[in-house]
C-alpha cells in the first residue's frame, strides 16, 4: 500500500483536496488534525504531558484541553510552540502509524495523510511521496478566521508561526495551487492521481 502526504499551510484547502481523494475506491484519508485532537482527549497521556509543561490552566473543569488557552500561550512564543510540538508529535506519529497499518490490513491500495505539519512532525518519513496545497495568504486568513472562529489578530499570529510557500515548494514533489476556482482545483487533483498512477 502506498502512503502519500498532503500538506501545506493552514487554510490552503488540504481538506477540500483530501475529501475528493477519498472518493476513489480503496483509497482512504487519515485526517492528522483529527489524530492530533484525539491524542489530547481527557485522560490521554499526551494531555497530561502538556499540562505538566504548560500548567493545568490549559485543562477545562471537565478535564478536556482548552484549545484557545493553549493557543494563546504557544502562538505568541515560538519556543513554547516548539515545546508543545515536541510533546505532541511523537504521540501523533505513533497513532498515524497504527492507522496506516489498519488501512493496509483492510486492503486499501493507498492512503493519503491530510497533514499540515507533515514535515515538522516527521510523518513525511511514513510517505513515499508528498503533495502540497498552496493558496494566497489573504485567502487563507479569511478561511481560518471563519473555520476556527478566530479574530484577525489570532489568525495572523497562527499564520506567522507557519512556514512560507517556499518551504513546501522545496520539499513536496507535487504542488496544487488553490486559487478558489473549484474546477481548476478538481483538474489538478485528477492530474495528481494520474501522476501517482492511482
Amino acid at each position: 500500500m502506498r502512503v502519500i502526504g498532503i500538506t501545506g499551510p493552514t487554510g490552503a484547502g488540504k481538506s477540500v483536496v483530501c475529501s475528493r481523494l477519498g472518493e476513489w475506491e480503496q483509497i482512504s484519508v487519515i485526517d492528522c488534525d483529527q489524530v492530533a485532537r484525539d491524542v489530547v482527549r481527557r485522560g490521554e497521556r499526551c494531555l497530561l504531558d502538556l499540562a505538566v509543561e504548560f500548567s493545568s490552566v490549559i485543562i477545562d473543569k471537565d478535564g478536556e484541553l482548552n484549545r484557545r488557552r493553549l493557543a494563546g500561550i504557544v502562538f505568541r512564543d515560538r519556543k513554547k510552540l516548539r515545546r508543545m510540538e515536541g510533546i505532541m508529535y511523537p504521540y501523533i506519529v505513533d497513532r498515524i502509524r497504527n492507522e496506516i497499518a489498519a488501512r493496509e490490513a483492510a486492503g486499501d491500495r493507498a492512503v493519503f495523510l491530510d497533514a499540515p505539519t507533515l514535515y515538522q512532525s516527521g510523518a513525511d518519513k511514513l510517505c513515499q511521496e508528498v503533495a502540497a496545497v498552496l493558496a494566497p495568504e489573504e485567502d487563507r486568513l479569511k478561511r481560518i478566521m471563519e473555520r476556527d472562529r478566530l479574530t484577525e489578530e489570532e489568525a495572523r499570529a497562527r499564520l506567522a508561526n507557519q512556514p512560507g510557500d517556499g518551504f513546501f515548494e522545496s520539499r513536496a514533489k507535487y504542488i496544487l495551487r488553490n486559487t478558489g476556482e473549484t474546477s481548476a482545483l478538481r483538474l489538478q487533483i485528477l492530474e495528481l492521481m494520474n501522476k501517482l498512477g492511482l
Side-chain angles (χ1 to χ4, degrees):
M1 187 186 73
R2 293 171 68 194
V3 180
I4 301 107
I6 301 291
T7 191
T10 187
K14 293 176 297 299
S15 296
V16 173
V17 169
C18 286
S19 68
R20 292 273 180 206
L21 293 169
E23 293 170 0
W24 267 267
E25 205 168 307
Q26 290 183 293
I27 288 177
S28 56
V29 175
I30 296 173
D31 180 345
C32 298
D33 274 347
Q34 183 59 54
V35 173
R37 286 189 286 275
D38 291 344
V39 301
V40 293
R41 291 204 187 282
R42 184 173 58 193
E44 290 283 345
R45 181 60 192 256
C46 183
L47 178 58
L48 298 176
D49 288 350
L50 288 171
V52 167
E53 180 68 25
F54 298 108
S55 92
S56 60
V57 72
I58 66 163
I59 299 179
D60 281 337
K61 59 180 183 281
D62 58 0
E64 297 287 349
L65 176 66
N66 184 316
R67 295 179 184 287
R68 198 164 209 129
R69 214 169 282 157
L70 179 61
I73 293 168
V74 302
F75 285 115
R76 300 188 195 295
D77 184 326
R78 208 170 283 261
K79 283 184 182 174
K80 288 180 181 174
L81 177 62
R82 299 297 165 250
R83 184 65 197 125
M84 181 197 75
E85 292 169 343
I87 292 168
M88 290 183 66
Y89 286 158
Y91 288 103
I92 294 168
V93 172
D94 190 52
R95 191 77 57 96
I96 292 168
R97 195 177 281 114
N98 291 338
E99 284 269 342
I100 290 169
R103 306 294 169 94
E104 188 166 23
D108 283 357
R109 57 195 173 103
V111 63
F112 287 89
L113 302 185
D114 179 353
T117 57
L118 183 79
Y119 295 108
Q120 299 92 319
S121 67
D124 61 303
K125 293 174 181 64
L126 304 174
C127 304
Q128 282 85 46
E129 293 176 282
V130 175
V133 183
L134 302 178
E137 186 172 314
E138 288 305 308
D139 292 353
R140 294 192 292 113
L141 181 72
K142 285 179 199 160
R143 283 185 202 128
I144 68 167
M145 284 173 67
E146 288 172 18
R147 182 191 71 198
D148 301 334
R149 296 186 188 98
L150 301 174
T151 65
E152 185 173 339
E153 184 187 359
E154 289 170 329
R156 288 196 184 280
R158 200 165 287 185
L159 292 181
N161 279 295
Q162 295 201 330
D165 288 358
F167 173 87
F168 299 103
E169 289 167 336
S170 66
R171 288 166 175 80
K173 183 171 182 180
Y174 306 105
I175 302 292
L176 286 79
R177 299 199 183 273
N178 182 9
T179 59
E181 290 289 328
T182 306
S183 57
L185 186 59
R186 192 176 295 138
L187 182 59
Q188 291 178 74
I189 294 166
L190 287 170
E191 288 171 353
L192 175 65
M193 292 299 276
N194 284 332
K195 287 173 183 172
L196 292 169
L198 296 171

Short mmCIF file of all heavy atoms in Angstrom, two decimals, residues 5-9 17 119 130-135 165-178 185 188-189 191-192 195:
data_model
loop_
_atom_site.label_atom_id
_atom_site.label_comp_id
_atom_site.label_asym_id
_atom_site.label_seq_id
_atom_site.Cartn_x
_atom_site.Cartn_y
_atom_site.Cartn_z
N GLY A 5 1.59 11.92 1.38
CA GLY A 5 1.31 13.06 2.25
C GLY A 5 0.69 14.21 1.48
O GLY A 5 1.12 14.51 0.36
N ILE A 6 -0.33 14.82 2.07
CA ILE A 6 -0.91 16.05 1.54
C ILE A 6 -0.69 17.11 2.61
O ILE A 6 -1.22 17.00 3.71
CB ILE A 6 -2.43 15.91 1.25
CG1 ILE A 6 -2.70 14.79 0.24
CG2 ILE A 6 -3.00 17.24 0.77
CD1 ILE A 6 -2.24 15.08 -1.17
N THR A 7 0.11 18.11 2.30
CA THR A 7 0.46 19.12 3.29
C THR A 7 0.31 20.52 2.73
O THR A 7 -0.16 20.69 1.61
CB THR A 7 1.90 18.86 3.82
OG1 THR A 7 2.13 19.68 4.98
CG2 THR A 7 2.96 19.13 2.75
N GLY A 8 0.70 21.49 3.51
CA GLY A 8 0.57 22.88 3.11
C GLY A 8 0.15 23.71 4.31
O GLY A 8 -0.21 23.16 5.36
N PRO A 9 0.18 25.03 4.18
CA PRO A 9 -0.17 25.89 5.31
C PRO A 9 -1.66 25.83 5.63
O PRO A 9 -2.47 25.44 4.81
CB PRO A 9 0.25 27.29 4.83
CG PRO A 9 0.22 27.19 3.35
CD PRO A 9 0.57 25.78 2.98
N VAL A 17 -9.13 19.07 -0.89
CA VAL A 17 -8.41 18.14 -1.76
C VAL A 17 -8.58 16.71 -1.25
O VAL A 17 -8.89 15.80 -2.01
CB VAL A 17 -6.91 18.52 -1.85
CG1 VAL A 17 -6.10 17.42 -2.52
CG2 VAL A 17 -6.74 19.85 -2.59
N TYR A 119 6.02 17.64 7.67
CA TYR A 119 7.48 17.65 7.80
C TYR A 119 7.92 17.91 9.23
O TYR A 119 8.83 17.27 9.75
CB TYR A 119 8.09 18.70 6.87
CG TYR A 119 7.88 18.40 5.41
CD1 TYR A 119 6.97 19.16 4.66
CD2 TYR A 119 8.56 17.37 4.78
CE1 TYR A 119 6.76 18.88 3.32
CE2 TYR A 119 8.35 17.09 3.43
CZ TYR A 119 7.45 17.85 2.71
OH TYR A 119 7.24 17.57 1.39
N VAL A 130 4.92 13.18 -1.58
CA VAL A 130 4.22 14.27 -0.90
C VAL A 130 3.73 15.29 -1.93
O VAL A 130 4.45 15.64 -2.86
CB VAL A 130 5.14 14.97 0.13
CG1 VAL A 130 4.43 16.17 0.75
CG2 VAL A 130 5.59 14.00 1.21
N ALA A 131 2.50 15.77 -1.71
CA ALA A 131 1.95 16.88 -2.49
C ALA A 131 1.60 18.00 -1.52
O ALA A 131 1.15 17.74 -0.40
CB ALA A 131 0.70 16.44 -3.26
N ALA A 132 1.83 19.24 -1.94
CA ALA A 132 1.49 20.39 -1.10
C ALA A 132 0.39 21.20 -1.77
O ALA A 132 0.39 21.38 -2.99
CB ALA A 132 2.72 21.27 -0.88
N VAL A 133 -0.55 21.67 -0.96
CA VAL A 133 -1.62 22.55 -1.43
C VAL A 133 -1.28 23.96 -0.94
O VAL A 133 -1.08 24.17 0.25
CB VAL A 133 -3.00 22.12 -0.87
CG1 VAL A 133 -4.10 23.00 -1.43
CG2 VAL A 133 -3.27 20.64 -1.17
N LEU A 134 -1.20 24.90 -1.88
CA LEU A 134 -0.85 26.29 -1.55
C LEU A 134 -1.98 27.23 -2.00
O LEU A 134 -2.69 26.93 -2.95
CB LEU A 134 0.46 26.68 -2.22
CG LEU A 134 1.68 25.81 -1.88
CD1 LEU A 134 2.90 26.28 -2.67
CD2 LEU A 134 1.97 25.81 -0.39
N ALA A 135 -2.10 28.35 -1.30
CA ALA A 135 -3.12 29.35 -1.64
C ALA A 135 -2.62 30.72 -1.18
O ALA A 135 -1.77 30.80 -0.28
CB ALA A 135 -4.44 29.01 -0.94
N ASP A 165 5.43 29.53 1.58
CA ASP A 165 5.27 28.65 0.42
C ASP A 165 6.58 27.99 0.00
O ASP A 165 6.59 26.83 -0.40
CB ASP A 165 4.69 29.43 -0.77
CG ASP A 165 3.22 29.79 -0.57
OD1 ASP A 165 2.64 29.40 0.48
OD2 ASP A 165 2.65 30.45 -1.46
N GLY A 166 7.68 28.73 0.09
CA GLY A 166 8.97 28.20 -0.33
C GLY A 166 9.35 26.93 0.41
O GLY A 166 9.99 26.02 -0.16
N PHE A 167 8.98 26.85 1.68
CA PHE A 167 9.26 25.66 2.49
C PHE A 167 8.64 24.43 1.84
O PHE A 167 9.27 23.38 1.71
CB PHE A 167 8.68 25.87 3.90
CG PHE A 167 8.76 24.67 4.81
CD1 PHE A 167 9.90 24.42 5.57
CD2 PHE A 167 7.69 23.79 4.91
CE1 PHE A 167 9.96 23.32 6.40
CE2 PHE A 167 7.75 22.68 5.74
CZ PHE A 167 8.89 22.45 6.49
N PHE A 168 7.38 24.56 1.42
CA PHE A 168 6.66 23.43 0.83
C PHE A 168 7.12 23.16 -0.61
O PHE A 168 7.27 22.02 -1.02
CB PHE A 168 5.15 23.68 0.88
CG PHE A 168 4.63 23.82 2.27
CD1 PHE A 168 4.32 25.07 2.79
CD2 PHE A 168 4.46 22.71 3.09
CE1 PHE A 168 3.85 25.21 4.09
CE2 PHE A 168 3.99 22.84 4.39
CZ PHE A 168 3.69 24.09 4.89
N GLU A 169 7.35 24.24 -1.36
CA GLU A 169 7.78 24.09 -2.76
C GLU A 169 9.12 23.38 -2.86
O GLU A 169 9.37 22.65 -3.83
CB GLU A 169 7.85 25.46 -3.43
CG GLU A 169 6.48 26.07 -3.68
CD GLU A 169 6.52 27.54 -4.06
OE1 GLU A 169 7.49 28.25 -3.71
OE2 GLU A 169 5.56 28.01 -4.71
N SER A 170 9.98 23.58 -1.89
CA SER A 170 11.31 22.96 -1.94
C SER A 170 11.30 21.51 -1.47
O SER A 170 12.28 20.79 -1.67
CB SER A 170 12.30 23.76 -1.09
OG SER A 170 11.96 23.69 0.27
N ARG A 171 10.21 21.06 -0.85
CA ARG A 171 10.18 19.72 -0.28
C ARG A 171 9.20 18.77 -0.97
O ARG A 171 9.47 17.59 -1.10
CB ARG A 171 9.84 19.79 1.22
CG ARG A 171 10.97 20.35 2.06
CD ARG A 171 10.51 20.73 3.46
NE ARG A 171 11.61 21.15 4.31
CZ ARG A 171 12.17 22.34 4.29
NH1 ARG A 171 11.73 23.25 3.44
NH2 ARG A 171 13.19 22.63 5.08
N ALA A 172 8.03 19.28 -1.36
CA ALA A 172 7.00 18.42 -1.94
C ALA A 172 7.29 18.14 -3.41
O ALA A 172 7.77 19.01 -4.14
CB ALA A 172 5.63 19.09 -1.80
N LYS A 173 6.98 16.94 -3.84
CA LYS A 173 7.18 16.56 -5.24
C LYS A 173 6.12 17.20 -6.14
O LYS A 173 6.38 17.57 -7.28
CB LYS A 173 7.15 15.04 -5.39
CG LYS A 173 7.43 14.56 -6.79
CD LYS A 173 7.61 13.07 -6.86
CE LYS A 173 7.93 12.62 -8.27
NZ LYS A 173 8.10 11.16 -8.36
N TYR A 174 4.90 17.32 -5.62
CA TYR A 174 3.78 17.87 -6.39
C TYR A 174 3.21 19.09 -5.67
O TYR A 174 3.14 19.12 -4.45
CB TYR A 174 2.66 16.82 -6.54
CG TYR A 174 3.15 15.51 -7.12
CD1 TYR A 174 3.31 14.39 -6.30
CD2 TYR A 174 3.46 15.38 -8.47
CE1 TYR A 174 3.76 13.19 -6.82
CE2 TYR A 174 3.92 14.18 -8.99
CZ TYR A 174 4.06 13.08 -8.16
OH TYR A 174 4.52 11.89 -8.67
N ILE A 175 2.80 20.09 -6.46
CA ILE A 175 2.20 21.31 -5.91
C ILE A 175 0.82 21.51 -6.54
O ILE A 175 0.68 21.48 -7.76
CB ILE A 175 3.07 22.56 -6.20
CG1 ILE A 175 4.49 22.41 -5.64
CG2 ILE A 175 2.39 23.82 -5.64
CD1 ILE A 175 4.60 22.39 -4.14
N LEU A 176 -0.19 21.71 -5.69
CA LEU A 176 -1.53 22.07 -6.15
C LEU A 176 -1.79 23.50 -5.68
O LEU A 176 -1.58 23.82 -4.51
CB LEU A 176 -2.58 21.13 -5.55
CG LEU A 176 -2.65 19.71 -6.12
CD1 LEU A 176 -1.55 18.84 -5.53
CD2 LEU A 176 -4.00 19.08 -5.83
N ARG A 177 -2.24 24.35 -6.60
CA ARG A 177 -2.48 25.76 -6.26
C ARG A 177 -3.98 26.02 -6.21
O ARG A 177 -4.67 25.89 -7.21
CB ARG A 177 -1.79 26.67 -7.27
CG ARG A 177 -0.27 26.45 -7.25
CD ARG A 177 0.53 27.57 -7.83
NE ARG A 177 1.95 27.23 -7.82
CZ ARG A 177 2.77 27.45 -6.81
NH1 ARG A 177 2.32 28.04 -5.72
NH2 ARG A 177 4.05 27.10 -6.89
N ASN A 178 -4.43 26.39 -5.03
CA ASN A 178 -5.85 26.64 -4.80
C ASN A 178 -6.13 28.13 -4.88
O ASN A 178 -5.88 28.87 -3.93
CB ASN A 178 -6.25 26.07 -3.43
CG ASN A 178 -7.73 26.26 -3.16
OD1 ASN A 178 -8.50 26.65 -4.04
ND2 ASN A 178 -8.13 25.98 -1.93
N LEU A 185 -9.11 23.40 -9.34
CA LEU A 185 -8.54 22.55 -8.29
C LEU A 185 -8.88 21.09 -8.56
O LEU A 185 -8.03 20.21 -8.39
CB LEU A 185 -9.07 22.98 -6.91
CG LEU A 185 -8.45 22.28 -5.71
CD1 LEU A 185 -6.93 22.48 -5.65
CD2 LEU A 185 -9.08 22.75 -4.41
N GLN A 188 -6.54 19.71 -11.10
CA GLN A 188 -5.22 19.44 -10.52
C GLN A 188 -5.22 18.14 -9.71
O GLN A 188 -4.24 17.40 -9.70
CB GLN A 188 -4.79 20.60 -9.61
CG GLN A 188 -4.47 21.88 -10.38
CD GLN A 188 -4.09 22.99 -9.42
OE1 GLN A 188 -3.00 22.98 -8.86
NE2 GLN A 188 -4.99 23.93 -9.21
N ILE A 189 -6.35 17.85 -9.04
CA ILE A 189 -6.47 16.60 -8.27
C ILE A 189 -6.44 15.41 -9.21
O ILE A 189 -5.76 14.41 -8.95
CB ILE A 189 -7.75 16.61 -7.41
CG1 ILE A 189 -7.64 17.70 -6.33
CG2 ILE A 189 -7.99 15.25 -6.77
CD1 ILE A 189 -8.96 18.03 -5.63
N GLU A 191 -5.09 15.30 -12.18
CA GLU A 191 -3.72 15.21 -12.70
C GLU A 191 -2.79 14.56 -11.67
O GLU A 191 -1.94 13.74 -12.01
CB GLU A 191 -3.19 16.60 -13.07
CG GLU A 191 -3.82 17.18 -14.32
CD GLU A 191 -3.47 18.63 -14.56
OE1 GLU A 191 -2.83 19.26 -13.68
OE2 GLU A 191 -3.83 19.15 -15.64
N LEU A 192 -2.97 14.90 -10.40
CA LEU A 192 -2.17 14.29 -9.33
C LEU A 192 -2.40 12.79 -9.29
O LEU A 192 -1.43 12.00 -9.21
CB LEU A 192 -2.52 14.92 -7.98
CG LEU A 192 -1.83 14.28 -6.76
CD1 LEU A 192 -0.32 14.47 -6.81
CD2 LEU A 192 -2.42 14.85 -5.45
N LYS A 195 -0.58 11.15 -12.14
CA LYS A 195 0.88 11.12 -11.91
C LYS A 195 1.26 10.05 -10.89
O LYS A 195 2.31 9.42 -10.99
CB LYS A 195 1.37 12.49 -11.45
CG LYS A 195 1.39 13.53 -12.55
CD LYS A 195 1.72 14.91 -11.99
CE LYS A 195 1.67 15.98 -13.08
NZ LYS A 195 1.78 17.34 -12.54
#
